[in-house]
Amino acid sequence: LAATNNAGKLKELRRILERMGHTVVSPKELGLTLDPDETGTTFAENARIKAEAFCQASGLPTVADDSGLCVDYLDGAPGIYSARFAQPGKRRLTVLEKLQGVPAEQRGAHFVSAVCCVFPNGDKIEAEGKCFGTIAFDSRGENGFGYDSIFVQDGRTFGEMTDEEKDARSHRGKAFAEFEEKLR
């Protein structure tokens, strides 16, 4: 079970996990309408909270990802609050507004992804991945979701990259590569 109600994240988790040979179901496909409170103070704690709640409700091995964008100029914000940083649909714009007038050399940022897989017997596998880049001056690209269209690596935003290019270098791609190694 992929423990997410976010359609963009579900698509990415499904793509990555199916490439590893796993069959993935969504909460919606099981009729689950959980939305656990993410009360953790770290990405790892929030991933664990989601994985445990969805595993308990479904009885299935459950993978959760908690991830976010950390902007240097904003002292690491939005960080673990990335999904709640501003109103839905305005999160990227809010980051760009807060960085208005900030020169390129001060726009450093990184993404973090913490993955937790909980099994019905209580076993857990945890992994984390990070990727570093900068924040663009405007939103570019139609691919991905969330902050992808403002996060730049090698002159292109994640929103301008193909799924395969993004998975090869992203925080989530790195976290799931570590997860797959630990799962074996």
Side-chain angles (χ1 to χ4, degrees), residues 67-68 129 149 183:
S67 52
S149 65
L183 182 61

Side-chain angles (χ1 to χ4, degrees), residues 58-80:
S58 70
L60 294 174
T62 301
V63 175
D65 157 276
D66 194 57
S67 52
L69 176 68
C70 303
V71 180
D72 300 345
Y73 188 82
L74 301 178
D75 296 323
I80 63 167

Side-chain angles (χ1 to χ4, degrees), residues 104-125:
E105 62 273 6
Q106 293 179 27
R107 297 174 80 92
H110 65 278
F111 270 125
V112 177
S113 170
V115 172
C116 181
C117 181
V118 174
F119 296 87
N121 69 359
D123 287 351
K124 291 182 185 85
I125 296 174

Side-chain angles (χ1 to χ4, degrees), residues 12-32:
E12 197 162 297
L13 292 179
R14 183 170 267 150
R15 182 178 69 243
I16 292 169
L17 288 166
E18 286 178 350
R19 201 173 324 146
M20 292 178 191
H22 304 289
T23 301
V24 179
V25 294
S26 71
K28 186 177 181 180
E29 291 170 296
L30 298 179
L32 294 176

Side-chain angles (χ1 to χ4, degrees), residues 71 73-74 92-104 106-107 135-138:
V71 180
Y73 188 82
L74 301 178
R92 287 184 301 257
L93 182 59
T94 300
V95 170
L96 293 176
E97 286 173 354
K98 289 182 177 288
L99 294 183
Q100 195 165 359
V102 175
Q106 293 179 27
R107 297 174 80 92
I135 300 299
F137 288 93
D138 54 10

